[in-house]
Amino acid sequence: MSEYSDIVKQIESLKRFGRRSGREVTEHLLPKLSDPDRGLKIFHIAGTNGKGSVAVYIAAALEANGFKTGLFISPHLITIRERIQVNRRYISEADFARLAERVLSVRTDEGYEPTFFDLCLATALLYFKEQGCDYVVLETGLGGRLDSTRGISQTPVAGVITAIGLDHTEILGDTLEKIADEKAGIIRDGMPVIIAHNLPSVRREIKKFTRGYFECDEAYDQTVRNSVSAPLIVASMKAQLRDPSMTPPLAGDFQFDNEAAALAALEFSDSMADVSKALSGIRSVTWPARIQKISDDPLFIIDGSHNPQGVKALSGTLKETYPDKRFVFLISAMKDKDVRHMVSRTKSIAASYICVANPSTRSLDADSLCEIVRDQGADAVAAADIDQALAMARKLVSGESSLGIVAFGSLYFAGELLKNLR
């Protein structure tokens, strides 16, 4: 077993949650690593849905403008190295092993032991500093106020809060407003923050954390910058004008809003990014498991949606893009997810559901998943594993041009499918 494999195995054995919040752990850990975040120009991205897309849009736009750009995202789908990228190239195995080992060797006070996510973040910051990145884009892991990424001492040059939805309610709260409170915890004095399109109640909640508030409910417009002088800015974006020159590379109407938020963040950050170059960079983006089309014959789509808002977006895109098709849904979900809502949102376009567990210890077993689906009045069968689920789906759609396959319910499931297909 290689040094890299040993390190990854050691990291994966770490706890998902610690005795202290991620923010406290980061504040304790980074000074012991000579504060690698100091001096970095950071974009901080929080939200429930769309934060990965916004993060990669910003990174691609900066790269297209000639800036060396670090990108930290989660979760990963196939390799842990996906989480740490410079100019959208994964960190090498050797660099990951070397820097992660340095983090693992740090002696922390009792209760401040880093979790899996904490360690990945610290490794990423060390790498970005070492690589001399001009800009860094950090995606939060969970929430905002207590998230590990909030523990950096460097005030970000801009932040984005993407669409807020009901997810991780046992930790963040059981209403959109409570979750918005947690996400708004990324806001700091002197840091412009853009809100991607959200419900009015969510906007009002986030407004409580600001000194200045500006709304723009049309397409992104560079002139908004000249309209705002408040020290802390929140701009609410809704890209209603479908300008072909701004058509995002990823599927789904909501990607217009994500692109608008990314462009606004660049504008408010004083990055001096040229918009035409930024758009060129954004158009180069590919992003796995975000309504990702694997094949046309048969139509096969993989999506990582796993909460009500994400599944609603998936369903809406399928209905609009493929109005004459029905779908065999491959579904896998974690025990804490709202499977009933997943089915209620998709059953009007479903031919059937194939239920399967994914390798995570938090996965719902296939039989229990089937029972929930059937309770919603839909046809469902259980598969023993992913290989069998794929074989069953392909058999059902063989020769049926009106049918397609869609896999959804979990990013972990999406990752396993992509590994399988490789």
Side-chain angles (χ1 to χ4, degrees):
M1 188 178 289
S2 69
E3 180 185 4
Y4 167 75
S5 298
D6 287 338
I7 290 291
V8 171
K9 186 175 181 180
Q10 188 174 350
I11 293 170
E12 289 178 339
S13 71
L14 297 175
K15 293 180 180 178
R16 186 164 174 253
F17 295 105
R19 290 163 59 184
R20 300 272 184 172
S21 70
R23 177 176 177 173
E24 291 174 298
V25 172
T26 296
E27 290 171 342
H28 178 76
L29 178 62
L30 293 187
K32 295 178 180 295
L33 294 166
S34 302
D35 296 302
D37 60 314
R38 290 285 176 88
L40 294 177
K41 295 180 179 179
I42 295 171
F43 287 82
H44 201 182
I45 318 299
T48 306
N49 294 301
K51 61 182 186 289
S53 300
V54 170
V56 75
Y57 285 165
I58 292 174
L62 289 167
E63 182 189 345
N65 273 272
F67 297 115
K68 194 171 190 178
T69 307
L71 175 64
F72 177 72
I73 58 170
S74 66
H76 64 272
L77 297 178
I78 296 175
T79 169
I80 196 171
R81 295 164 47 235
E82 295 169 35
R83 293 171 179 258
I84 305 171
Q85 304 178 30
V86 170
N87 284 1
R88 290 181 289 161
R89 292 179 180 271
Y90 301 166
I91 185 174
S92 70
E93 291 186 359
D95 284 333
F96 184 90
R98 174 175 55 84
L99 294 173
E101 187 171 31
R102 180 179 168 190
V103 180
L104 285 166
S105 68
V106 172
R107 291 188 177 183
T108 56
D109 295 347
E110 186 177 353
Y112 289 91
E113 299 85 358
T115 63
F116 173 92
F117 187 84
D118 301 326
L119 192 137
C120 289
L121 172 62
T123 301
L125 292 170
L126 286 171
Y127 185 61
F128 299 149
K129 190 76 168 184
E130 185 176 272
Q131 290 289 305
C133 290
D134 299 305
Y135 287 95
V136 167
V137 185
L138 296 182
E139 178 188 345
T140 58
L142 179 62
R145 181 176 63 91
L146 299 176
D147 187 71
S148 304
T149 59
R150 183 59 176 83
I152 58 174
S153 59
Q154 186 71 44
T155 298
V157 297
V160 177
I161 299 175
T162 65
I164 302 297
L166 293 172
D167 202 8
H168 301 292
T169 53
E170 73 285 359
I171 299 171
L172 302 179
D174 57 2
T175 68
L176 292 177
E177 292 72 27
K178 289 178 182 177
I179 294 173
D181 281 350
E182 292 297 322
K183 307 289 185 182
I186 69 166
I187 296 174
R188 308 187 193 202
D189 283 345
M191 168 187 165
V193 177
I194 313 305
I195 304 179
H197 184 62
N198 269 290
L199 294 173
S201 61
V202 172
R203 294 183 192 173
R204 286 193 296 271
E205 200 63 31
I206 297 175
K207 185 178 178 180
K208 296 176 184 177
F209 295 84
T210 71
R211 293 181 183 177
Y213 185 78
F214 183 82
E215 293 192 7
C216 176
D217 278 338
E218 299 299 327
Y220 168 74
D221 184 348
Q222 291 183 77
T223 61
V224 299
R225 179 60 193 268
N226 301 322
S227 307
V228 183
S229 59
L232 185 59
I233 305 154
V234 177
S236 179
M237 293 291 172
K238 175 64 178 175
Q240 295 172 332
L241 304 180
R242 300 304 189 226
D243 183 346
S245 69
M246 290 180 61
T247 300
L250 304 181
D253 238 19
F254 53 90
Q255 290 295 350
F256 280 89
D257 305 322
N258 291 337
E259 183 181 62
L263 290 168
L266 291 167
E267 177 70 16
F268 280 87
S269 70
D270 285 326
S271 66
M272 304 301 290
D274 179 90
V275 174
S276 62
K277 290 180 180 178
L279 286 169
S280 176
I282 289 171
R283 281 193 290 270
S284 74
V285 166
T286 59
W287 204 232
R290 273 66 173 185
I291 314 185
Q292 180 184 4
K293 186 163 67 172
I294 303 300
S295 65
D296 286 302
D297 187 18
L299 177 64
F300 184 10
I301 290 169
I302 295 178
D303 188 61
S305 56
H306 54 274
N307 56 48
Q309 287 70 28
V311 176
K312 178 182 177 182
L314 169 65
S315 177
T317 299
L318 292 175
K319 289 176 182 177
E320 181 178 341
T321 310
Y322 307 103
D324 299 323
K325 281 191 180 290
R326 296 177 72 216
F327 301 94
V328 174
F329 284 105
L330 297 179
I331 182 170
S332 184
M334 300 303 184
K335 295 173 183 176
D336 60 342
K337 299 305 177 184
D338 189 351
V339 177
R340 288 175 175 80
H341 189 278
M342 292 182 189
V343 179
S344 67
R345 277 288 179 189
T346 55
K347 69 179 183 180
S348 65
I349 53 174
S352 63
Y353 293 82
I354 298 173
C355 305
V356 62
N358 64 66
S360 171
T361 56
R362 298 185 294 119
S363 177
L364 195 62
D365 68 86
D367 289 333
S368 297
L369 190 53
C370 263
E371 186 176 341
I372 296 171
V373 175
R374 289 168 184 156
D375 283 346
Q376 298 300 302
D379 292 332
V381 294
D385 53 33
I386 289 176
D387 284 335
Q388 186 183 52
L390 284 169
M392 292 165 69
R394 286 170 174 148
K395 184 176 180 180
L396 285 172
V397 303
S398 179
E400 298 288 343
S401 60
S402 63
L403 296 179
I405 302 170
V406 175
F408 79 114
S410 163
L411 275 168
Y412 294 95
F413 177 47
E416 288 302 314
L417 277 172
L418 291 172
K419 286 180 189 177
N420 181 293
L421 294 170
R422 281 189 173 185

